[in-house]
Amino acid sequence: MTQNTEKRTVVDVAERETKTLVETVLSAETVVSVGKGASLTHYRLAEDAENALTVRLDAGASYTLITLALGTGKLRIAADLAGEGAVCRSDVVYAATDDEVLSLQTDFTHNADKTVSRQLVKGAANGRAKASFEGRILIPYDKKEIDGSQQHRALLLSRDCEIAAVPRLEIYADDVKCAHGSAVGSLNAEQLYYMRARGLDESEARRLLTTAFLNEVLDGIRDEALRSDWEAQTAERIGL
Amino acid sequence: MSAWLEIKDLSAKVGEKEILKGLSLSVGKGEIHVLMGPNGSGKSTLSNVLCGDPMYEVTGGSVTFKGKDLLAESIEERACDGIFMAFQRPVEIPGVTMTTFMKYALNARRRAAGLSEMDAVSFIKRLKIRAKAFDISEEMLKRPVNVGFSGGEKKRMENLQMAVLEPDFCILDEMDAGLDVDAVKVAGAGVQIMRGPERTFFVISHNIGFLREQIKPDFVHILVGGRVVANGGTELMDEVEKNGFSRFYKEA
């Protein structure tokens, strides 16, 4: 189902097929097509990667994407919900530290009725890292029974890091349920105090709270070995 | 020689507000002390200052614990030295199970004491046996710390943490507050199970019935205006039950 070159990876899931794909080396461009009634679960590790992913979902197609973005990189995820009843779930964890610069851009278009999109983006920045998330949901004017949501939550782990979030909803239709939210903050001081009062040192408490926060997304990975490997890599990469 | 825990002329503030104003107290090993006093008299502040809560700033006085300068230690050093507080309002920690949390806490203490980390089998056994004593199911141990627990369940979890970590100075901050009748009946279970010649308790409560029936203290101290204004035995509880704190205000 996949063709792979350095420049371009093409993934086609035929009608009514169910597939799982794990991608750890990314081309510059990834093109995914999920056919009628087909289902694709896609896990991607984007380590210091630059990649543009475009996904097209036909009627009744279901696409579940979990992306782990580490280090300096530039990622774009564009989804075209082209067929009626298509469901797209895209969750992302991003983590950057030192002088890394990481940007994530998502662009979901509901081009058919009764389409559903769900995005949960969780991130953390440490050191002097700069991270940005820009997410767009576009719902053209004549579409009906659309359900979209986009949530972004991120942690600032140092004084000198930066996280910018730009959620953009462009809704031209009436029959729409669309929710979005973005919150960027520091670790909770009361939680840190409670943990330290039980004997955990500060860095241990910070690491535990941060990984618990990010693992909400990674817990969605059904392959246990892959999940614990990626969870460990995330903790290490963020410098905790 | 100073007492096991010696608090001398302790002053502390939160923000610009002075709460402790020269509080002194001597506490020995193996004793059960009750702290009573009107709201705002400094009971919770004293507890949190002893634990090292960064919200509070110590402005004067000293605290010696087992011969060491307690105020010079970090929050976690104090915990590893044996200080434990059962919180009045325990925080929720989503994503971290009670089992994981206790494993980290116990091993931090063992490392500080120069011991090797406890192996997984021994740890789980220890946790489960102690959970049973507080009527805590295995399923509850797998849930994130305090998330979605009732007030009574949170207090049982505080008791469990105390039993697992085996501290030698335990502060119970309003263990019985906000609980229904049945939950209050077991709120003192931690003290009952763990009291002994090696362990000291500070119990803060307004509930004299709870103190009398479940805690059975050796000493009672009355706090007013950030100072200890009376030291005695259970007769002080009887007096507060009858007359409130009015006499002590005059002495403050």
Side-chain angles (χ1 to χ4, degrees):
Chain A
M1 76 175 178
T2 56
Q3 293 173 293
N4 201 345
T5 67
E6 210 173 284
K7 272 191 171 165
R8 196 174 157 101
T9 300
V10 178
V11 182
D12 272 315
V13 185
E15 266 188 57
R16 270 175 277 285
E17 266 192 332
T18 297
K19 296 278 184 198
T20 297
L21 174 66
V22 180
E23 216 185 352
T24 51
V25 180
L26 302 187
S27 317
E29 199 186 343
T30 305
V31 181
V32 174
S33 159
V34 189
K36 269 188 196 169
S39 167
L40 175 63
T41 301
H42 189 181
Y43 304 134
R44 344 168 67 204
L45 173 63
E47 208 176 355
D48 301 310
E50 201 161 310
N51 172 273
L53 166 70
T54 53
V55 188
R56 184 194 144 90
L57 288 89
D58 286 337
S62 164
Y63 179 57
T64 303
L65 171 68
I66 294 180
T67 305
L68 173 57
L70 300 173
T72 287
K74 202 171 174 186
L75 294 178
R76 187 180 142 80
I77 301 169
D80 173 9
L81 290 94
E84 188 171 310
V87 177
C88 181
R89 156 132 231 155
S90 165
D91 293 347
V92 179
V93 167
Y94 66 81
T97 187
D98 300 330
D99 290 304
E100 293 165 348
V101 179
L102 180 65
S103 81
L104 169 68
Q105 204 189 0
T106 69
D107 194 349
F108 285 34
T109 309
H110 288 260
N111 276 322
D113 296 345
K114 297 179 184 172
T115 46
V116 178
S117 71
R118 293 272 175 279
Q119 295 181 68
L120 174 63
V121 178
K122 294 189 104 172
N126 203 357
R128 293 166 304 279
K130 288 184 171 64
S132 68
F133 166 66
E134 190 183 334
R136 183 171 87 133
I137 300 176
L138 171 63
I139 304 175
Y141 87 101
D142 57 343
K143 300 299 176 265
K144 294 180 182 64
E145 295 181 57
I146 304 298
D147 184 355
S149 95
Q150 180 197 89
Q151 299 295 331
H152 171 247
R153 307 264 176 276
L155 284 175
L156 299 162
L157 297 172
S158 67
R159 209 173 298 174
D160 299 323
C161 63
E162 284 174 33
I163 294 176
V166 188
R168 281 165 52 207
L169 303 185
E170 291 181 30
I171 302 174
Y172 302 100
D174 297 324
D175 189 1
V176 165
K177 253 195 336 194
C178 201
H180 77 105
S182 178
V184 179
S186 309
L187 288 171
N188 181 300
E190 278 181 57
Q191 290 174 339
L192 282 172
Y193 171 47
Y194 187 79
M195 297 173 96
R196 295 176 70 191
R198 295 295 181 250
L200 280 74
D201 67 39
E202 193 177 356
S203 64
E204 204 171 30
R206 291 174 68 85
R207 188 175 60 235
L208 204 53
L209 284 176
T210 306
T211 50
F213 173 82
L214 296 177
N215 288 354
E216 187 193 342
V217 168
L218 300 176
D219 283 347
I221 298 174
R222 269 171 271 162
D223 181 323
E224 207 172 307
L226 188 70
R227 181 176 64 231
S228 57
D229 181 34
W230 285 15
E231 287 180 355
Q233 284 200 52
T234 309
E236 196 175 316
R237 266 312 280 262
I238 197 121
L240 291 169
Chain B
M1 203 189 121
S2 66
W4 189 68
L5 171 69
E6 185 81 59
I7 304 169
K8 264 192 195 153
D9 290 326
L10 186 63
S11 298
K13 62 180 186 179
V14 56
E16 286 308 302
K17 199 174 171 201
E18 197 87 27
I19 298 181
L20 299 184
K21 299 169 183 168
L23 183 145
S24 297
L25 203 55
S26 289
V27 176
K29 203 173 176 179
E31 300 171 351
I32 299 188
H33 293 250
V34 159
L35 304 181
M36 302 189 80
N39 292 331
S41 59
K43 305 181 297 292
S44 289
T45 299
L46 174 62
S47 309
N48 281 298
V49 165
L50 293 177
C51 290
D53 187 345
M55 282 265 293
Y56 299 89
E57 187 193 337
V58 174
T59 52
S62 66
V63 180
T64 315
F65 179 57
K66 299 184 195 171
K68 289 194 280 188
D69 176 7
L70 185 75
L71 300 177
E73 296 189 344
S74 68
I75 304 167
E76 53 270 30
E77 282 169 337
R78 300 178 198 203
C80 293
D81 259 355
I83 293 188
F84 177 95
M85 176 162 69
F87 283 67
Q88 195 176 343
R89 290 182 207 84
V91 293
E92 300 185 351
I93 309 178
V96 180
T97 67
M98 185 54 81
T99 303
T100 301
F101 184 41
M102 281 298 95
K103 198 165 75 189
Y104 273 87
L106 188 65
N107 282 329
R109 283 156 194 264
R110 290 177 64 91
R111 277 199 308 272
L115 299 169
S116 62
E117 298 200 347
M118 191 178 264
D119 68 89
V121 176
S122 312
F123 167 73
I124 290 292
K125 205 168 142 193
R126 179 187 182 119
L127 185 65
K128 282 184 183 169
I129 288 171
R130 282 155 217 229
K132 233 179 206 166
F134 300 104
D135 199 23
I136 290 166
S137 67
E138 287 183 26
E139 185 270 327
M140 281 171 79
L141 297 173
K142 289 179 192 154
R143 278 157 59 182
V145 176
N146 294 322
V147 175
F149 288 165
S150 70
E153 286 170 332
K154 285 180 182 172
K155 295 301 165 92
R156 271 150 58 198
M157 283 297 193
E158 294 293 289
N159 266 324
L160 169 65
Q161 293 177 50
M162 185 164 79
V164 169
L165 301 175
E166 298 184 336
D168 39 29
F169 178 47
C170 310
I171 304 167
L172 278 62
D173 191 1
E174 303 216 12
M175 209 56 182
D176 57 299
L179 302 184
D180 62 40
V181 183
D182 293 322
V184 169
K185 277 183 194 155
V186 296
V191 178
Q192 288 154 14
I193 291 170
M194 295 184 65
R195 66 193 308 162
E198 296 300 316
R199 189 166 288 124
T200 291
F201 291 88
F202 255 23
V203 182
I204 297 169
S205 175
H206 290 289
N207 183 340
I208 288 163
F210 165 74
L211 293 172
R212 200 178 275 140
E213 285 151 34
Q214 297 192 49
I215 304 301
K216 301 181 172 69
D218 304 305
F219 301 97
V220 177
H221 312 279
I222 308 291
L223 269 68
V224 174
R227 303 173 61 198
V228 176
V229 296
N231 296 294
T234 50
E235 77 282 354
L236 283 176
M237 295 187 337
D238 302 336
E239 190 185 338
V240 169
E241 189 174 36
K242 252 191 241 150
N243 305 322
F245 294 109
S246 53
R247 169 168 81 89
F248 306 108
Y249 278 112
K250 283 165 208 149
E251 289 176 18

